[in-house]
Amino acid sequence: MAKSYMQVKGLVKRFGPFTALNGVDLEVFPGEVHALLGDNGAGKSTLIKILAGVHQPTSGRIFIEDDEVQFRSPRDASAAGIGTVYQDLALNQLMSVTRNFFMGRELKGRLGVLRTKEMDKIAHDEMLKIGIDISDPRQAVGTMSGGQRQTLAIARAIYFGAKVLILDEPTSALGQRQQMEVLKTMMRVRARGDIAIIFITHNEIHSNLVADRFTFLALGQVIGAGTKTELAGEDIRRLMAGGAEMKDLAHELAAI
Amino acid sequence: MADRSESDRLKQESWYQKTIRRPEIGSFVVMIVVIIALALASDGQAFNALGLKNNIAIIAQFGIIATGAALLMIAGEFDLSIGSMIGFAGMSMAMMMKWGLPFGLGEATPFTAFLITLCMTLFLGWMIGNIVVRSGLSSFIVTLAFLFVLRGTTEVAFRLINKSTQISGLPDFKETSWFAELMGGEVFGWFYDLWFEFGGNLNRKGEQWVSGFDARFMWWIIIAGAAYFILSRTQLGNWIYATGDDKEAARANGVPVNKVKIGLFMFTAFCATMFAACQVFDTNTSDAAKGNLKELEAIAIAVVGGTLMTGGFGSVIGVVFGAVTVGLVANAVFFIPWIDGSWFRVFVGTVLLAAVFANERIRKRITGGI
């Protein structure tokens, strides 16, 4: 079996009296899509915020290639190769594709002068690698479709060294066609073989289409995990509903 | 159809189309109209040797503070304290020249007076910036407070030390100090020399009439040139845009949003100080009311120049056009005797409103998306 890139063991996070995560384990492998599923409030956001260095865990350990790491800030996490693409994508609409691509990490020459041409070319090429050919890297991000923006954010994370790519509900705010574009983009990243993708979603169909491995969270705990073959389709649906039997739900609904 | 990708929907535009869709185009057209109208209405007086000098003097004044206001607006904040900062800096420099340096440090030279004043105004800018970014309050309110505080401080300091709210009759420091000459003297004499050589620029006796522009013209060019370069070509420029557009997105990508903002509040304070220094060493006077309402004019010029009120977008070139437009109209009363000077405000208000609508259209066009 392939070696995992990142391993999370017994992660606990408490916010005062509230336990957001109660001992979560997670293992991600390069060249795989790992779907992280769970209802609202299951702890998905807390988990990725810890992995992204935004929050520090109360207890538990994170290993990157067998070395234990501690993220004190988002900078630590991205230095360790964790690239997070949040739902809002952290893009600025009024700025050009290139300016967004290099935002905060500009290539500069003497006196802080931007190496504009080089940056344009890199932004264009990196997006082309994962499937979108933008005609003009100087166009404002505001003129791009949701799928294109998602691709820009992913390409940016990869270019700046992400080995674990965390995608926070990348398909949720998009139309049908663009959802498919994003899934294709994910599969192209997966095909590179060196990047592990954590795919956070509510959508059972999407996760079934692209994921190799699943982890289900409910009330801050892992209630099911395994590879696609280990978990049958019915199992996935049951776990998606937070462990409650769909049949029970059907009865409850009928009774109303 | 199948080989058509999403990016094909963005039409490639010709050079002409790109030019007329530039954000500066509106302010450029307005500027040209004003120049032509003023030239016709004043019978060319506004652009003869002296007219040009006087117009450029006020345009440069506006231009210096509007550059600061525009950069800050692009980063998403306002500074209403610019006008009071001008009054404060002018008071500080003139008082040091008259009464000597503070804390018994002896006689002031124009350079030391300027340097100490600049330290104070930069500190004030730094403080305003810190209050804004740390409290999360609207910069409108914080700088409005400083508008009152600084104006009041200026008046109190004048009355306490000088017994009067104005200083006049200072010696002309330009004759003895290179620094005063640099701030309040004349520049680009070669322009008027050349004009004279070619048979123009003559007074009634047939001698050379005007010998140079006011030094603030040079300072405006330097400040606007530096601002243009920084905004469009450097990493810092990208940070300024990013800060004003969506500061959370900028922060998530590692842009030091707070430092950018604090730095720009210091930059507007610097621009106000330059404005005051040029004025003090040009006229050798100071007055507690100097710079009144200048903050609003600076913001108006920035908006007329295409800067978005909401931040994230704007250009220094547009602000240059805006400064020319507003400066010419402010001065028009001197060249068109039959006009009431208060039409200036009517004009600025009208152009401002038109500019806001135009800018909003530009913003929608950019963020409208596919």
Side-chain angles (χ1 to χ4, degrees), chain B residues 311-352:
Chain B
F313 193 76
S315 96
V316 174
I317 308 267
V319 175
V320 168
F321 296 152
V324 172
T325 305
V326 173
L328 286 178
V329 177
N331 241 1
V333 65
F334 298 113
F335 301 104
I336 317 172
W338 46 266
I339 208 168
D340 186 324
S342 293
W343 282 112
F344 163 60
R345 299 207 180 115
V346 178
F347 173 85
V348 171
T350 312
V351 172
L352 181 64

Side-chain angles (χ1 to χ4, degrees), chain A residues 75 90-95 99 102-106 108 111-114 133-136 139-140 142-145 148-149 156 178 181, chain B residues 6-7 10 12 229 231-235 237-239 241-242 245-246 249-250 252-255 308 311-313 363 366-370:
Chain A
R75 203 172 276 273
L91 293 174
N92 276 336
Q93 297 199 19
L94 293 163
M95 288 161 62
R99 278 176 179 270
F102 287 94
M103 182 171 23
R105 287 168 289 209
E106 294 82 357
K108 55 185 186 185
L111 292 170
V113 179
L114 298 175
D133 184 8
I134 45 161
S135 47
D136 180 9
Q139 77 185 80
T143 63
M144 294 165 77
S145 71
Q148 285 177 323
R149 290 180 204 195
R156 178 171 69 180
Q178 292 184 0
E181 287 300 324
Chain B
E6 236 169 332
S7 51
L10 189 76
Q12 285 295 308
F229 176 74
L231 201 56
S232 59
R233 299 283 162 80
T234 68
Q235 179 178 48
N238 209 34
W239 289 358
Y241 281 121
D245 198 338
D246 179 344
N253 286 291
V255 175
L308 278 189
F313 193 76
R363 192 182 67 80
I366 297 172
T367 59
I370 297 172

Side-chain angles (χ1 to χ4, degrees), chain A:
Chain A
M1 199 169 89
K3 220 168 121 39
S4 68
Y5 181 76
M6 181 175 71
Q7 222 180 341
V8 174
K9 282 183 184 164
L11 214 57
V12 174
K13 176 68 183 175
R14 295 196 188 89
F15 294 100
F18 178 72
T19 304
L21 294 177
N22 191 14
V24 169
D25 299 326
L26 186 73
E27 201 172 4
V28 297
F29 297 84
E32 282 193 6
V33 175
H34 192 131
L36 185 63
L37 297 115
D39 212 346
N40 288 336
K44 299 187 305 259
S45 310
T46 310
L47 177 56
I48 61 165
K49 278 190 175 146
I50 289 172
L51 296 182
V54 177
H55 293 324
Q56 280 71 49
T58 311
S59 68
R61 305 163 85 181
I62 303 172
F63 298 89
I64 300 259
E65 291 182 320
D66 295 335
D67 295 328
E68 183 163 3
V69 288
Q70 277 179 345
F71 302 146
R72 293 179 200 290
S73 70
R75 203 172 276 273
D76 285 354
S78 64
I82 315 272
T84 313
V85 176
Y86 291 106
Q87 240 170 324
D88 64 9
L89 302 178
L91 293 174
N92 276 336
Q93 297 199 19
L94 293 163
M95 288 161 62
S96 72
V97 172
T98 303
R99 278 176 179 270
N100 267 290
F101 194 96
F102 287 94
M103 182 171 23
R105 287 168 289 209
E106 294 82 357
L107 302 181
K108 55 185 186 185
R110 248 182 280 166
L111 292 170
V113 179
L114 298 175
R115 303 210 295 268
T116 320
K117 278 197 179 138
E118 196 182 335
M119 285 163 54
D120 279 343
K121 188 168 161 27
I122 292 171
H124 175 265
D125 293 354
E126 290 297 315
M127 286 182 71
L128 187 59
K129 275 186 205 163
I130 55 171
I132 285 187
D133 184 8
I134 45 161
S135 47
D136 180 9
R138 305 220 174 162
Q139 77 185 80
V141 163
T143 63
M144 294 165 77
S145 71
Q148 285 177 323
R149 290 180 204 195
Q150 191 72 240
T151 307
L152 168 55
I154 293 171
R156 178 171 69 180
I158 293 172
Y159 178 75
F160 288 106
K163 291 291 163 209
V164 178
L165 187 64
I166 303 175
L167 304 178
D168 185 11
E169 308 207 9
T171 55
S172 67
L174 300 177
Q176 190 84 10
R177 230 189 98 90
Q178 292 184 0
Q179 291 179 354
M180 298 304 143
E181 287 300 324
V182 172
L183 295 179
K184 278 190 215 162
T185 303
M186 284 172 59
M187 290 311 262
R188 285 193 200 98
V189 176
R190 178 180 174 272
R192 288 173 47 129
D194 60 341
I195 293 175
I197 301 173
I198 298 179
F199 176 33
I200 292 134
T201 182
H202 281 298
N203 195 314
E204 180 201 346
I205 301 169
H206 289 169
S207 58
N208 250 332
L209 278 170
V210 296
D212 304 287
R213 205 174 283 272
F214 296 83
T215 294
F216 296 91
L217 284 180
L219 303 176
Q221 282 175 315
V222 176
I223 55 165
T227 61
K228 195 170 189 172
T229 41
E230 287 164 20
L231 299 163
E234 192 60 29
D235 227 12
I236 291 173
R237 191 169 300 140
R238 186 177 59 78
L239 291 164
M240 273 298 290
E245 291 285 354
M246 283 301 265
K247 257 183 273 170
D248 291 350
L249 183 62
H251 286 309
E252 281 174 40
L253 290 175
I256 293 168

Side-chain angles (χ1 to χ4, degrees), chain B residues 57-70 73 78-88 147 151 216 268 271-273 275-276 279 287-303 323 326-327 330-331 334 344-345 348:
Chain B
I58 191 155
I59 289 168
Q61 271 194 332
F62 280 135
I64 288 171
I65 49 173
T67 307
M73 266 174 77
F78 288 96
D79 188 355
L80 295 181
S81 70
I82 293 175
S84 297
M85 193 73 84
I86 291 170
F88 176 83
L147 177 152
R151 184 67 70 192
R216 62 184 65 134
T268 58
C271 291
T273 311
F275 181 112
Q279 201 168 48
D287 180 331
K290 281 278 192 274
N292 198 18
L293 286 180
K294 283 286 178 282
E295 63 284 333
L296 298 182
E297 285 163 358
I299 290 170
I301 290 167
V303 172
V326 173
N331 241 1
F334 298 113
F344 163 60
R345 299 207 180 115
V348 171

Side-chain angles (χ1 to χ4, degrees), chain B residues 16 27 86 110 137 160 178 181 210-212 214 225 238 246 263 273 318 337 357:
Chain B
Y16 171 75
S27 54
I86 291 170
L137 291 171
L160 270 181
W178 59 272
E181 176 67 25
V210 180
S211 55
D214 289 337
N238 209 34
D246 179 344
T273 311
F357 282 118

